[in-house]
Amino acid sequence: MRRSLVFASALALGLGILAGQAGAQQRPAQRDAVRIGILSDMSGSFADVAGPGSVVAAQLAAEDFGGRAAGLPVQIVSGDHQNRADVGSALARRWVDVDGVDAIVDLPNSAVALAVGDVVRNANRTMLVTAAVTTRLTGDACSPNTVHYSLDNWSMANVPSRALVREGGSTWFYITADYVFGHDLEQQSANAVRRAGGRVLGSVRHPLGTADFSSVLLQAQASRAEVVALANSQADFINAMKQAGEFGLTRRGQRVLGLAVYVSDIVSLGLEATQGAIVTGNWYWDMNDGTRDFARRFAARHNGRMPTALQANVYAAVLHFLKAVDAVGGSTDGRAVVARMKEMPTDDRLFGRGSIRADGRRMSPVYVFQVKAPGESSGPYDVYRLVREVPIEEAYRPIEEGGCPLVAGGRRGG
């Protein structure tokens, strides 16, 4: 059985080490560090896009901040939630109750993020979601202890769905991961398709970690939909995309669209299979000098791999959190820290200047990229060409539509 606490890494600049399984030591009687827990999927479906690389990103942020906040050393700890909400919430509870963790970061898998959010709110600590994408995090499940850094399903679904309907893709069929993330992504895309004048012909759901997509692809093929949308991610998206090619969906005139695609997916599939694809994201490693410098430093510590947008989110979130901790004098009061994070503009070399809304949504530019052809690429991670920057008012769900109770006029609801 895997340990729930996978590893803890010592930071440069004299940062301390917190090692061993969660619960192996008691919380110190007097606070001796600012502790940040990277709660991620370390070896499963999301390990490439978040996982160990998210720990590296957190380390780099802590080092760039100087290794201390409010006079205390910064420590990074890490744990594996195994894509299970019960495992994630139990580890989070141990971290805040016993090990003195101040902030929990990353959280790929929306069900885990929602469960951990309850733990963090009850303990009045901080949760910085840099990988989960459910819209509920800034909707009915919004919290004064949470900031949502990663793009959510509304952004990832609305931008490409509206564009494809305008380009003539009027009928849609969905292949959907059967858990919170997939359900929400399908719903957000289907709503956008209908608003744009398109029609949804049907959908089929599959378990997380599916290896054989033949039966669901046959249903998609039989639907004769012009667009087959993959409302899944990571290993599921890669397997579905590969098998869609083997089934010849595109040769029969159907367009296969991934709604949640990351650089690591494109690298895994190869440019021959993905050239010309449209991808929505809030970050790419080769955009400017600041992103390229971070990518080089990250790759030097992560087996030559370039960072994904989710790992870049970790860097930005940890850096802004430490600025807020400094500003409030090192308080462990998560609500006070998050309130200060919302008051201060976000500003770093990876994303530039941005802000955090009252519902916890981090606002930064969103981009549309096109995957390069093999002949245009200079290396394995040179995969995107920038098409356009999406106006902020189009890139995020309007705050009044989310139903967040923290927003004036907000309501509880689904």
Side-chain angles (χ1 to χ4, degrees):
M1 180 175 178
R2 292 187 298 174
R3 290 185 174 186
S4 61
L5 183 59
V6 175
F7 62 90
S9 301
L11 302 181
L13 304 175
L15 301 185
I17 301 174
L18 183 64
Q21 287 185 305
Q25 58 184 337
Q26 294 300 307
R27 184 175 177 179
Q30 184 175 1
R31 192 174 186 219
D32 59 354
V34 175
R35 293 183 174 86
I36 299 171
I38 306 302
L39 186 53
S40 194
D41 172 8
M42 296 299 181
S43 59
S45 308
F46 303 105
D48 285 344
V49 76
S54 291
V55 181
V56 173
Q59 292 173 344
L60 290 170
E63 291 171 14
D64 288 352
F65 193 71
R68 301 181 73 83
L72 296 171
V74 179
Q75 294 182 342
I76 305 297
V77 303
S78 60
D80 188 351
H81 60 50
Q82 303 173 34
N83 286 303
R84 291 175 50 187
D86 59 339
V87 172
S89 58
L91 181 51
R93 192 171 296 109
R94 175 69 67 174
W95 275 358
V96 298
D97 290 345
V98 178
D99 296 324
V101 169
D102 299 293
I104 298 179
V105 186
D106 205 27
L107 299 152
N109 188 307
S110 295
V112 175
L114 291 169
V116 172
D118 289 338
V119 173
V120 169
R121 182 170 186 158
N122 291 336
N124 193 21
R125 298 303 172 86
T126 301
M127 184 170 79
L128 308 176
V129 180
T130 58
V133 293
T134 175
T135 55
R136 291 190 62 204
L137 289 164
T138 53
D140 70 297
C142 73
S143 164
N145 297 79
T146 296
V147 179
H148 195 180
Y149 272 77
S150 48
L151 291 185
D152 61 22
N153 285 335
W154 193 99
S155 297
M156 293 192 298
N158 271 261
V159 172
S161 299
R162 290 195 307 255
L164 272 184
V165 173
R166 285 196 297 265
E167 292 173 13
S170 60
T171 55
W172 290 58
F173 185 92
Y174 291 89
I175 294 174
T176 302
D178 193 11
Y179 70 107
V180 174
F181 155 74
H183 302 172
D184 191 23
L185 187 58
E186 177 188 330
Q187 180 182 356
Q188 298 297 333
S189 174
N191 289 344
V193 166
R194 294 186 183 105
R195 285 195 298 268
R199 290 187 298 130
V200 176
L201 302 184
S203 66
V204 61
R205 292 177 174 177
H206 65 83
L208 182 67
T210 294
D212 183 1
F213 281 86
S214 56
S215 63
V216 298
L217 287 167
L218 284 171
Q219 294 180 61
Q221 196 174 68
S223 76
R224 299 185 181 275
E226 292 165 322
V227 179
V228 176
L230 304 180
N232 54 18
S233 67
Q234 301 308 291
D236 289 331
F237 164 75
I238 291 169
N239 286 334
M241 194 75 178
K242 284 179 179 176
Q243 291 171 44
E246 294 166 2
F247 270 73
L249 267 64
T250 54
R251 291 195 301 274
R252 292 177 172 85
Q254 292 178 299
R255 296 186 66 172
V256 182
L257 169 69
L259 292 170
V261 183
Y262 301 99
V263 166
S264 55
D265 304 327
I266 302 300
V267 171
S268 178
L269 286 163
L271 296 183
E272 286 285 355
T274 57
Q275 61 182 302
I278 297 298
V279 176
T280 301
N282 67 348
W283 191 83
Y284 176 51
W285 71 269
D286 195 21
M287 294 190 71
N288 54 54
D289 289 342
T291 60
R292 285 187 286 271
D293 177 65
F294 171 74
R296 284 191 293 268
R297 295 167 59 208
F298 179 96
R301 297 195 189 183
H302 197 49
N303 302 315
R305 298 179 182 178
M306 290 298 178
T308 66
L310 301 187
Q311 291 156 346
N313 285 332
V314 171
Y315 177 92
V318 169
L319 198 64
H320 197 58
F321 168 76
L322 292 175
K323 291 177 183 177
V325 168
D326 242 5
V328 299
S331 172
T332 60
D333 184 334
R335 291 178 182 82
V337 173
V338 169
R340 197 55 179 262
M341 291 179 73
K342 292 177 180 178
E343 291 171 5
M344 302 188 301
T346 59
D347 193 4
D348 57 75
R349 296 189 68 200
L350 273 61
F351 293 89
R353 287 181 67 85
S355 61
I356 299 171
R357 292 194 315 201
D359 60 356
R361 156 55 51 203
R362 188 275 302 267
M363 309 288 284
S364 68
V366 174
Y367 306 97
V368 175
F369 302 103
Q370 186 172 38
V371 177
K372 292 182 176 181
E376 299 175 277
S377 174
S378 61
Y381 288 89
D382 180 20
V383 297
Y384 289 163
R385 179 194 310 108
L386 179 64
V387 175
R388 72 183 182 103
E389 182 176 334
V390 182
I392 288 289
E393 61 271 17
E394 294 180 20
Y396 297 98
R397 179 177 64 186
I399 192 169
E400 65 273 10
E401 294 181 8
C404 171
L406 302 176
V407 177
R411 64 194 185 282
R412 288 285 182 189

